[in-house]
Amino acid sequence: MAHITKATSVKDWFDQRIALTKLWNVLAGQYWIPKNINFLWAMGVILTVLFTVLFVTGLLLVMYYKPDANLAFDSVNYTIMQEVEYGWLWRHMHAVAASVIFLIIYIHAFVGIYYGSYKKGREMIWISGMLLFLVFSAEAFSGYMLPWGQMSYWAAQVITQLFGGVPVIGDALVEWIRGDYAVSDPTLTRFFMLHVCLLPIVLIMIIVIHFYTLRVPHVNNLEGEEIDFELEAEKYLSGDTKNSKVIPFWPGFLSKDFMYVSFFMIFFTYLVGFHFGFAMDPINFDPANAAKTPTHIYPEWYFLWQYEILRGFFFDIGPMKAADLGALAMAFAGISLFFMPLYDRSDVVAPAHKRKGFFVWFWLLIIDLIILTVYGKLPPTGFNAWIGFFSSVAYLALLLVVLPVITIMERKGNK
Amino acid sequence: MSVKKQERRDFIGMAFGAVAAVGGAFALVGMKKSWDPLPSVKAAGFTTVDLSPMQAGEFRQVEWRKKPIFIIKKNADMKPNPARDVVIGEDKYMVAIGLCTHLGCIPSWSPSDMMFKCACHGGEFDASGVNTFGPPPRPLDIPPFKIDGTKLVLGEEGPEYKKLAGIA
Ligand code: FES
């Protein structure tokens, strides 16, 4: 046991028992961050804030929400929206945060791609990040179902039906997931469990892992420069703060982050107050009706690109059925970015504007994703179907063919 | 530590592993079964539809096990399809589960062109329920049924169903 002496202060009392100062230094005070990073690196802290907003508003909503197919719709649209004081606020904050968090996740991820932050020792940061994206998708989807409106219901119907594509056990699997022959009360209650209990626990665990993965290779920077963090930290600690290339997370980096968080939260509050509608689908204000499909089904904006890839393959190719091709392509799209470190065969870590081929590739990918997103919302008929097809193929080709080729060329050119 | 003692610890470790594996396996089975449909859901029972009041060319939608069932009494304009038609006396009916075989949306019957159109991804089915366009991979499924006079009993596999399904 540690040698305990009479404490000289409250802080000392805790230091002797749970080494508070040491913990603080490890977590923030001596956690080193490079100096040359800009606001794009603030997304991580903004995401943490948004997740906290979702968590807290979620707690307030759960107090009045009723996970029952007969009560759910009214508990949201009547009790929470009309009766509970400030219930509307929590609901709109929850919905807007759920939508905006995907915007920030996408920015966060594509900044990572642009600066090559997924390679050369930083693979685990990338992979745990992608894992977070995947679980966040499941969290968003299970939450989307809970108000039990028409779009909730049919989104659940379509997404659970996707598992019917699994060979042999498909139909049984769909029934098992739904707990009924069609999406109904048991489906609602199990998704409720996933949304408010299991998935949040998993999310929090992966968030912690994601933070931890930053510890060893450290965060990348604007130039992709390799920094000797120990050396620079020593410089900083010895008083040469000016020449050191790093600053401690607290107070240096976080204070700047807080400024961006403030900007962001003003924007967020504006959305919640004046434009919450974009996170709400009008069709979802009709109660779920198992006997009538809405004429046009589409997911929230952040899943549109994957949805369009699902729809993109609308004709059979050889022995492959269109539906299976689409489902396969979408399943792949969902996990495709996990393998970024594998597609990129060059070990240059530099921002895209310093890697010509990669730069062009990056913007092509962004344009393709925007096209997929736009067309994912449009009806899949005639000409639109073909655009969907070509942009889906383009997505697969950009990742699986173009990126390896240009990065291998880059590697050869560098020799 | 002596070799002997290490062996004893290995044994305890393996014994623990065995107990954990057996317990874990049983727990997994239990968890899997908790997610299965409840008996009350499974016993959703049978739905009986009397077909005699239907007019030629009429389309009707009934519910069976929470799924929509499409029934059409075919008229002279609709092509017969011996592999799928339910024949009662002189009359031919199309009976199918009204869920698109693509991703399970409910296609809508459009009487003007005698087709089912699925709005979700543009799938189309003809009056016999056969997929004619778009992503649906196969015709609409035929629910198990039995014919009892002019009545259709959904949920029971009668000889007519077995013939259509090719299992008789
Ligand atoms: S669900 Fe009918 S075409 Fe996709």
Side-chain angles (χ1 to χ4, degrees):
Chain A
M1 199 175 84
H3 183 63
I4 303 282
T5 55
K6 188 167 166 35
T8 53
S9 66
V10 177
K11 182 166 158 266
D12 183 49
W13 192 91
F14 279 104
D15 265 349
Q16 289 196 44
R17 284 159 182 83
I18 52 172
L20 222 51
T21 311
K22 216 186 226 165
L23 181 72
W24 173 254
N25 280 340
V26 169
L27 289 182
Q30 288 177 24
Y31 170 38
W32 306 104
I33 299 285
K35 275 182 186 165
N36 65 337
I37 55 180
N38 61 12
F39 74 98
L40 291 169
W41 268 261
M43 299 302 145
V45 173
I46 292 181
L47 284 171
T48 316
V49 170
L50 273 176
F51 183 74
T52 313
V53 168
L54 282 167
F55 191 88
V56 174
T57 54
L59 291 180
L60 292 159
L61 292 171
V62 171
M63 292 197 296
Y64 288 98
Y65 174 76
K66 296 217 163 46
D68 176 311
N70 295 316
L71 306 174
F73 186 81
D74 284 340
S75 77
V76 174
N77 289 294
Y78 177 67
T79 312
I80 290 176
M81 291 301 286
Q82 315 278 334
E83 285 198 286
V84 178
E85 276 196 75
Y86 289 97
W88 56 270
L89 179 65
W90 311 133
R91 191 207 179 176
H92 287 161
M93 280 177 78
H94 200 75
V96 172
S99 192
V100 173
I101 204 168
F102 275 91
L103 177 69
I104 308 291
I105 288 178
Y106 283 136
I107 297 178
H108 193 55
F110 282 99
V111 167
I113 294 183
Y114 189 92
Y115 289 97
S117 305
Y118 51 85
K119 49 188 184 175
K120 228 185 177 182
R122 296 203 174 86
E123 291 89 344
M124 282 314 296
I125 306 176
W126 180 257
I127 291 170
S128 58
M130 285 311 299
L131 208 59
L132 269 176
F133 172 68
L134 218 63
V135 184
F136 257 113
S137 300
E139 177 71 359
F141 169 62
S142 56
Y144 190 62
M145 252 191 84
L146 301 184
W148 211 238
Q150 262 296 63
M151 209 48 135
S152 300
Y153 183 88
W154 287 96
Q157 179 88 355
V158 169
I159 299 297
T160 48
Q161 187 63 43
L162 275 178
F163 291 91
V166 176
V168 191
I169 56 162
D171 289 337
L173 186 63
V174 172
E175 248 164 49
W176 183 73
I177 292 172
R178 291 177 180 165
D180 199 340
Y181 300 109
V183 171
S184 66
D185 194 64
T187 326
L188 174 63
T189 46
R190 65 188 55 186
F191 275 61
F192 176 70
M193 177 282 287
L194 290 174
H195 185 72
V196 305
C197 178
L198 181 61
L199 293 178
I201 293 175
V202 173
L203 275 175
I204 291 170
M205 277 175 1
I206 312 178
I207 290 174
V208 171
I209 294 173
H210 191 56
F211 287 170
Y212 175 65
T213 56
L214 278 168
R215 274 328 181 81
V216 182
H218 289 274
V219 57
N220 194 8
N221 54 66
L222 276 177
E223 301 297 324
E225 181 188 351
E226 235 176 277
I227 296 175
D228 184 338
F229 278 82
E230 262 159 53
L231 202 90
E232 300 298 330
E234 245 165 63
K235 256 195 229 166
Y236 187 96
L237 287 176
S238 68
D240 188 8
T241 53
K242 207 161 159 218
N243 283 320
S244 168
K245 288 183 177 160
V246 296
I247 45 168
F249 188 60
W250 174 264
F253 182 68
L254 259 192
S255 60
K256 195 167 134 189
D257 265 14
F258 284 161
M259 186 185 75
Y260 292 121
V261 168
S262 305
F263 285 146
F264 176 79
M265 287 317 281
I266 292 169
F267 168 68
F268 177 76
T269 312
Y270 167 74
L271 285 182
V272 170
F274 300 100
H275 287 288
F276 52 82
F278 84 95
M280 306 263 169
D281 195 285
I283 300 176
N284 226 13
F285 289 96
D286 293 336
N289 180 355
K292 198 176 158 288
T293 314
T295 43
H296 186 185
I297 296 189
Y298 45 80
E300 287 292 277
W301 72 268
Y302 40 85
F303 291 143
L304 284 171
W305 66 278
Q306 290 184 25
Y307 184 66
E308 184 62 9
I309 291 179
L310 167 74
R311 302 195 303 185
F313 298 88
F314 59 94
F315 49 83
D316 303 352
I317 300 178
M320 294 286 284
K321 292 279 182 201
D324 299 336
L325 275 176
L328 267 179
M330 178 170 106
F332 173 73
I335 56 165
S336 56
L337 291 176
F338 265 98
F339 310 111
M340 273 307 289
L342 280 180
Y343 309 137
D344 191 335
R345 310 305 304 166
S346 156
D347 55 5
V348 185
V349 179
H353 54 261
K354 290 195 181 149
R355 303 168 64 192
K356 240 196 258 132
F358 185 79
F359 183 76
V360 175
W361 173 87
F362 177 84
W363 288 110
L364 283 180
L365 182 72
I366 299 281
I367 292 169
D368 192 45
L369 285 171
I370 291 174
I371 294 177
L372 284 169
T373 302
V374 170
Y375 279 85
K377 185 106 190 195
L378 299 175
T381 41
F383 192 54
N384 290 358
W386 285 102
I387 293 186
F389 171 71
F390 285 117
S391 43
S392 304
V393 172
Y395 179 79
L396 300 180
L398 277 172
L399 285 182
L400 293 174
V401 183
V402 182
L403 185 55
V405 168
I406 57 164
T407 46
I408 287 173
M409 272 162 45
E410 183 181 284
R411 192 180 59 205
K412 296 228 167 103
N414 276 345
K415 286 223 175 104
Chain B
M1 192 189 296
S2 75
V3 177
K4 204 81 176 276
K5 269 193 182 154
Q6 184 55 43
E7 274 171 4
R8 237 158 63 191
R9 281 180 174 76
D10 284 350
F11 174 76
I12 294 172
M14 282 181 317
F16 170 74
V19 171
V22 171
F26 276 111
L28 278 182
V29 171
M31 286 186 216
K32 189 259 166 199
K33 296 216 160 164
S34 295
W35 278 52
D36 279 340
L38 304 175
S40 56
V41 168
K42 281 191 191 147
F46 308 102
T47 304
T48 306
V49 198
D50 188 2
L51 297 179
S52 54
M54 279 185 79
Q55 306 290 319
E58 187 186 328
F59 165 79
R60 226 192 235 202
Q61 184 172 329
V62 298
E63 202 189 292
W64 166 73
R65 287 193 184 168
K66 300 201 176 104
K67 289 180 181 153
I69 301 294
F70 292 162
I71 304 175
I72 295 177
K73 182 169 184 176
K74 289 197 167 176
N75 62 18
D77 294 345
M78 298 173 188
K79 260 214 300 287
N81 184 338
R84 297 179 55 87
D85 288 347
V86 178
V87 189
I88 302 179
E90 295 283 275
D91 304 319
K92 294 190 173 59
Y93 296 87
M94 148 44 238
V95 176
I97 298 179
L99 295 174
C100 182
T101 48
H102 180 217
L103 288 177
C105 297
I106 303 180
S108 50
W109 171 242
S110 128
S112 56
D113 36 17
M114 296 199 296
M115 250 189 332
F116 291 100
K117 293 190 181 160
C118 183
C120 298
H121 317 97
E124 289 177 1
F125 302 86
D126 66 13
S128 304
V130 176
N131 50 321
T132 51
F133 175 80
R138 57 171 198 278
L140 295 175
D141 294 324
I142 298 177
F145 66 87
K146 195 185 83 175
I147 295 170
D148 178 10
T150 60
K151 292 201 187 95
L152 189 69
V153 184
L154 292 163
E156 213 176 312
E157 299 191 358
E160 298 83 357
Y161 170 74
K162 289 191 174 146
K163 207 158 73 215
L164 291 188
I167 47 179

